[in-house]
Amino acid sequence: MSIAEKFVSMEYGPAPEDPKEAQAWLQRHNHRFGHFINGAWHAPAAGQYFETLDPSNGEKLASVAQGSAADIDAAVQAAREAFPQWRALTPHVRARYLYSLARLVQKHSRLLAVLETMDNGKPIRESRDIDIPLVARHFYYHAGWAQLLEQEFPEYEACGVVGQIIPWNFPLLMAAWKIAPALATGNTVVLKPAEFTPLTALVFAELCQEAGLPAGVVNIVTGDGSTGELLVKHSGVDKIAFTGSTEVGRAIRGATAATPKRLSLELGGKSPFIIFDDADLDSAVEGLVDGIWFNQGQVCCAGSRLLMQESIAEILLGKIRERMSTLRIGSPLDKAIDIGAIVARVQLDRIHSLVSQGIADGANCWQPQVVLPARGFYYPPTLLSNVHPTSIVAQQEIFGPVLAAMTFRTPREAVELANNTVYGLAASVWSENINVALQVAAQVKAGVVWVNSTNLFDASCGFGGYRESGFGREGGREGLLEYLQPAWFKNAPKLPAVRTPPVSRTESEESGRNDAPDIDRTVKLYIGGKQARPDSGYSMEVRSPDGHLLGEASLGNRKDIRNAVEAARKAEAWARATAHNRAQVLYYCGENFFQRRDEVVRRLTAAVGAKQAAAEFDLGIERIFSYAAWADKFDGAVHNPPFRNVAIAMNEPLGAMGIICPTEAPLLGFLSLVLPAIAMGNTVVAVPSEAYPLIAGDLYQLFDTSDVPGGVVNIVTGYTSPLLKVLAEHDDVDAIWSFADEASAAAAKAMSVGNLKQVWTNEGRAIDWFNPKLAEGRWFLEHATQVKNIWVPYGE
């Protein structure tokens, strides 16, 4: 066969990578591994081991320790003891350690790449050319952050002991994603690798020894899901960072709800790959190959849903089939193959099952004529066309080399289809019209969007999802914030428990009272820009600290919350208003509110005293002006990855938020929470202070007269506990802020697992709302936004 013929056919002979170095490493350890705890190797306390297999042939690679409660205890204790000294090191010294780890990864890159392929089944070209260089890049990049930490994050400190649980699809890369920022910010780590792929994490433990990393700073405990569960529930862990399935992420959210543990979740995805009719189709097809058949489709952000403009569908499908026919499947250690082995039999069986269900749902299945290896776990590249948007293969993550294809007619329809899942991890948009591409990228609900590219990653660019793809970011400046917290917050005093609600009254009972104060009206709910009577027909007594009856406020219920959430959703155009416009509206609020100082302070005085009432109002005016100022100044960033791309990191609103306001500062607490939320473009359902909900009357008059669009701010008065429950369980609420007692914080997290909404609480700790350094600024704005990274290519 001539060279020209070989070029056309893409038929090459095998080019196997020599695995002898990896085999020698396994042999040196007698194919048996313990845990890495406190800088040394330890046999499992319970004496139990499990096998890790080579997916390419099903053969045993090694026996690995099964972690028990005693092992997790030992690792957490080691990390806890190492934390003070590690945190106390100068930034430069920590930077030197991370730099050393980066150099060692490069020094041992071939061993790491080969072992990763043997343990995971991915092609050696991917391990060698993508995974391991990115591992080194993460340690280099975060060495720089370690050096600059005190300059760039003043008054922030490390969380403490971080428990990290990683998946099997990018074993060493996921370890680097998590360990590097944790160490750079002064935390210590207990890492639990995936059961299927623990080996490269154990090599990394040896690199930690070679780098001279202090004992206990990095601990690695292997095991199955039960080991991970022990780590999640351990009381000595201050933060959990998890990458894996949405189902497990939901369980972790529930397991940590009653604790103050920080939590970041990078979960599943069903990412759309959108191709418009003006796209360079040949380039788009090559991007698609990287989008769905990279790592056998075992990628959380895989472009598994192909959305094609209807006019090019048949042409594009033809090109895809032709390209699929050239994909080579075989031994992962063969440098000439494109698709390796599926990680395990259980995953292979899942792929078979879901594809069969998709065909039963009406999809047409096409696979190239390929001969799969006789041994090992392999699945051919698969194209499912004529897929209905509600089919299981369009909605559930398959995690295999399976592409589900659908059509659209207009950009608007493309966005609707793209957002038609519970996930929101990534998307890829292909068009030669940059206006169309960026318009769609801005509207797709995903944490990462690639324009005319796909599956680009870099340590400088945040990665993470929206909705049920999790929350938090890994990489970039935004990723560091997951491992930091304000220095004052952890030691803030606890708030007292919420008081027992008094007996409520019906409106008819109110009219018969003879001890009623001289008030001019009943304070109603505020929903959709209008005053509304409560569905319950009940009201709640509001009394001063000395027991004097101040008035009554409406007692909101589930239906009132439902109506308020619906109004908030209808007001989402607020997010599309310019930041300048939002700023002007907030300035107008401040202007109007200032004119009513005397009357508001007089009413508030009855509840909190004259001194506090005056302070709350005056600082409230300042807070309004502060967030008016921030509205058009809390900018994103432009990251510069080492490619011909820029990544535009945009701060986007979370959406419809439920806010439980603090009891102790009825006016200032409300303004301190609601203002940053709406300044960033969110809409809000707020539950005001239970101690003095009458402040709602002054506030809705303010919003009525200040050009705040109806539905942007909705106020439902009532008892905190039942209203929080409805908000937290509501699937159309995107985020919950709860600043009440410790029980409310736990309830907000536990009840929000249904749609994994983002939850931010005070963990039951007291915040000095009168101190702007604690109660105002970036800390609040960072929690009111989520970062979307849009990768845009550019030429030279």
Side-chain angles (χ1 to χ4, degrees):
M1 181 181 291
S2 69
I3 292 177
E5 289 172 327
K6 287 183 178 180
F7 184 80
V8 171
S9 66
M10 300 295 283
E11 292 178 1
Y12 296 92
E17 176 74 32
D18 189 348
K20 65 180 180 182
E21 187 179 349
Q23 291 171 343
W25 179 80
L26 291 167
Q27 186 60 46
R28 285 198 300 273
H29 290 273
N30 295 318
H31 297 264
R32 193 177 183 88
F33 297 89
H35 306 300
F36 182 69
I37 299 174
N38 205 28
W41 295 96
H42 297 268
Q48 297 181 347
Y49 293 82
F50 62 93
E51 294 182 351
T52 182
L53 307 179
D54 183 338
S56 70
N57 53 33
E59 294 179 359
K60 175 183 173 181
L61 289 172
S63 295
V64 182
Q66 169 64 36
S68 64
D71 299 316
I72 291 294
D73 283 342
V76 172
Q77 181 179 352
R80 178 61 61 197
E81 292 175 355
F83 173 60
Q85 291 183 338
W86 178 251
R87 179 181 57 179
L89 291 177
T90 67
H92 176 65
V93 172
R94 281 204 302 271
R96 291 270 291 270
Y97 278 116
L98 269 75
Y99 181 81
S100 179
L101 287 170
R103 297 289 286 163
L104 287 169
V105 167
Q106 290 180 315
K107 178 180 177 181
H108 297 283
S109 61
R110 188 54 60 98
L111 167 63
L112 293 168
V114 172
L115 195 62
E116 193 82 315
T117 286
M118 292 171 64
D119 204 20
N120 170 270
K122 65 174 59 187
I124 184 62
R125 288 188 298 112
E126 295 178 7
S127 298
R128 180 195 66 201
D129 299 340
I130 299 173
D131 290 28
I132 305 307
L134 267 175
V135 171
R137 164 69 172 153
H138 272 267
F139 282 102
Y140 276 126
Y141 176 80
H142 286 95
W145 271 123
Q147 183 79 35
L148 303 174
L149 192 70
E150 291 184 359
Q151 301 173 46
E152 290 296 304
F153 295 91
E155 300 181 359
Y156 275 72
E157 67 176 14
C159 295
V161 175
V162 179
Q164 301 179 323
I165 303 172
I166 58 174
W168 45 259
N169 55 340
F170 293 91
L172 188 58
L173 182 55
M174 291 295 101
W177 276 27
K178 286 183 164 52
I179 291 175
L183 298 191
T185 48
N187 299 275
T188 54
V189 167
V190 178
L191 178 79
K192 206 292 284 185
E195 178 185 3
F196 292 146
T197 54
L199 295 181
T200 48
L202 299 175
V203 179
F204 181 78
E206 293 185 343
L207 300 188
C208 291
Q209 289 179 312
E210 190 173 346
L213 199 69
V217 172
V218 170
N219 306 273
I220 298 175
V221 179
T222 53
D224 58 14
S226 64
T227 307
E229 184 178 4
L230 290 167
L231 180 58
V232 166
K233 293 181 177 179
H234 199 286
S235 61
V237 173
D238 300 298
K239 173 184 166 62
I240 292 293
F242 172 77
T243 296
S245 71
T246 296
E247 180 183 9
V248 175
R250 192 173 279 118
I252 292 173
R253 167 82 284 176
T256 59
T259 75
K261 287 186 178 78
R262 292 279 302 280
L263 179 63
S264 54
L265 300 174
E266 195 262 280
L267 307 177
K270 195 69 182 175
S271 300
F273 197 100
I274 307 168
I275 303 179
F276 286 91
D277 57 7
D278 65 345
D280 179 340
L281 296 187
D282 292 327
S283 295
V285 169
E286 290 306 307
L288 193 60
V289 169
D290 288 337
I292 183 58
W293 293 300
F294 170 57
N295 197 17
Q296 298 75 253
Q298 298 171 135
V299 183
C300 54
C301 56
S304 54
R305 287 189 298 143
L306 172 60
L307 307 181
M308 315 168 285
Q309 199 148 20
E310 195 174 78
S311 58
I312 58 165
E314 290 307 315
I315 296 173
L316 183 60
L317 289 173
K319 287 179 176 289
I320 293 170
R321 295 187 190 102
E322 182 179 359
R323 183 65 177 89
M324 289 172 67
S325 298
T326 68
L327 294 173
R328 298 166 300 240
I329 306 170
S331 169
L333 284 174
D334 184 350
K335 292 186 285 287
I337 65 100
D338 300 298
I339 297 179
I342 303 300
V343 71
R345 169 65 66 184
V346 64
Q347 180 63 19
L348 182 63
D349 291 344
R350 172 179 166 80
I351 296 169
H352 277 291
S353 174
L354 287 170
V355 170
S356 296
Q357 183 61 54
I359 295 171
D361 289 344
N364 300 322
C365 180
W366 189 89
Q367 297 170 331
Q369 296 298 313
V370 294
V371 178
L372 300 180
R375 301 173 63 205
F377 314 128
Y378 294 89
Y379 196 86
T382 300
L383 172 64
L384 299 175
S385 56
N386 193 39
V387 173
H388 192 277
T390 61
S391 170
I392 191 171
V393 295
Q395 293 295 323
Q396 286 196 21
E397 188 176 35
I398 298 175
F399 231 59
V402 180
L403 178 64
M406 293 160 275
T407 61
F408 66 87
R409 293 183 179 179
T410 65
R412 180 177 179 179
E413 187 180 358
V415 170
E416 289 177 351
L417 284 171
N419 293 334
N420 185 39
T421 73
V422 297
Y423 300 109
L425 187 55
S428 185
V429 183
W430 293 75
S431 172
E432 290 299 286
N433 187 329
I434 192 64
N435 293 326
V436 169
L438 293 180
Q439 179 189 21
V440 171
Q443 295 180 62
V444 171
K445 294 179 180 178
V448 181
V449 182
W450 295 288
V451 174
N452 291 332
S453 55
T454 192
N455 274 353
L456 296 175
F457 309 98
D458 186 62
S460 67
C461 305
F463 183 89
Y466 289 10
R467 303 193 291 184
E468 292 187 31
S469 287
F471 44 81
R473 293 293 179 266
E474 301 195 71
R477 184 187 184 95
E478 54 265 44
L480 286 182
L481 289 168
E482 300 299 328
Y483 293 94
L484 293 167
Q485 63 185 354
W488 61 268
F489 182 64
K490 196 169 187 177
N491 296 317
K494 291 287 186 181
L495 286 169
V498 172
R499 63 189 176 87
T500 303
V503 178
S504 59
R505 298 174 180 265
T506 64
E507 291 185 1
S508 60
E509 289 174 325
E510 290 176 35
S511 62
R513 293 199 325 266
N514 55 21
D515 62 341
D518 183 17
I519 57 175
D520 57 348
R521 60 184 175 78
T522 301
V523 174
K524 298 183 178 66
L525 309 179
Y526 185 63
I527 297 175
K530 298 178 180 179
Q531 298 180 41
R533 291 186 179 277
D535 172 72
S536 67
Y538 284 87
S539 61
M540 57 189 287
E541 290 185 345
V542 181
R543 292 185 178 271
S544 65
D546 62 4
H548 179 67
L549 185 64
L550 301 178
E552 305 229 356
S554 295
L555 192 61
N557 66 9
R558 176 180 294 272
K559 185 175 180 181
D560 298 314
I561 292 290
R562 183 197 70 185
N563 293 340
V565 172
E566 183 178 339
R569 281 295 182 200
K570 289 180 179 178
E572 287 180 338
W574 177 248
R576 299 190 293 275
T578 67
H580 171 74
N581 177 252
R582 292 199 298 271
Q584 294 304 300
V585 170
L586 292 183
Y587 278 126
Y588 194 29
C589 286
E591 177 186 336
N592 286 335
F593 206 40
F594 182 74
Q595 306 303 318
R596 301 179 54 216
R597 184 185 190 280
D598 291 345
E599 60 178 299
V600 174
V601 169
R602 175 174 52 80
R603 282 193 286 264
L604 187 57
T605 293
V608 300
K611 183 177 179 181
Q612 180 175 331
E616 284 200 45
F617 188 92
D618 293 339
L619 281 170
I621 293 294
E622 288 188 26
R623 210 136 291 175
I624 294 173
F625 269 67
S626 178
Y627 286 112
W630 272 116
D632 59 359
K633 296 174 187 65
F634 190 65
D635 296 326
V638 177
H639 298 311
N640 294 291
F643 310 107
R644 290 195 181 100
N645 297 77
V646 292
I648 306 169
M650 303 171 58
N651 291 319
E652 292 198 331
L654 302 177
M657 298 174 58
I659 297 181
I660 304 298
C661 297
T663 296
E664 61 274 21
L667 174 61
L668 187 58
F670 184 102
L671 295 175
S672 297
L673 295 179
V674 170
L675 289 173
I678 64 174
M680 294 298 99
N682 299 282
T683 57
V684 166
V685 178
V687 178
S689 167
E690 187 176 308
Y692 187 67
L694 299 178
I695 196 67
D698 297 300
L699 290 167
Y700 62 58
Q701 288 183 19
L702 169 66
F703 299 131
D704 269 345
T705 57
S706 301
D707 294 341
V708 178
V712 170
V713 178
N714 304 274
I715 305 173
V716 179
T717 55
Y719 301 130
T720 296
S721 180
L723 295 180
L724 170 60
K725 182 177 188 296
V726 179
L727 280 168
E729 292 178 345
H730 200 301
D731 283 344
D732 221 16
V733 173
D734 299 300
I736 291 288
W737 287 4
S738 177
F739 282 72
D741 64 344
E742 192 170 10
S744 298
K749 291 180 282 186
M751 295 172 183
S752 67
V753 297
N755 68 344
L756 281 173
K757 57 175 63 68
Q758 297 196 34
V759 178
W760 185 38
T761 81
N762 59 338
E763 301 298 345
R765 298 166 185 156
I767 293 177
D768 183 356
W769 300 104
F770 299 88
N771 185 346
K773 291 183 178 180
L774 309 185
E776 179 186 312
R778 284 187 174 273
W779 192 43
F780 291 81
L781 297 168
E782 286 158 358
H783 285 90
T785 55
Q786 51 193 348
V787 180
K788 172 187 283 186
N789 275 273
I790 301 178
W791 290 65
V792 182
Y794 66 89
E796 293 183 343

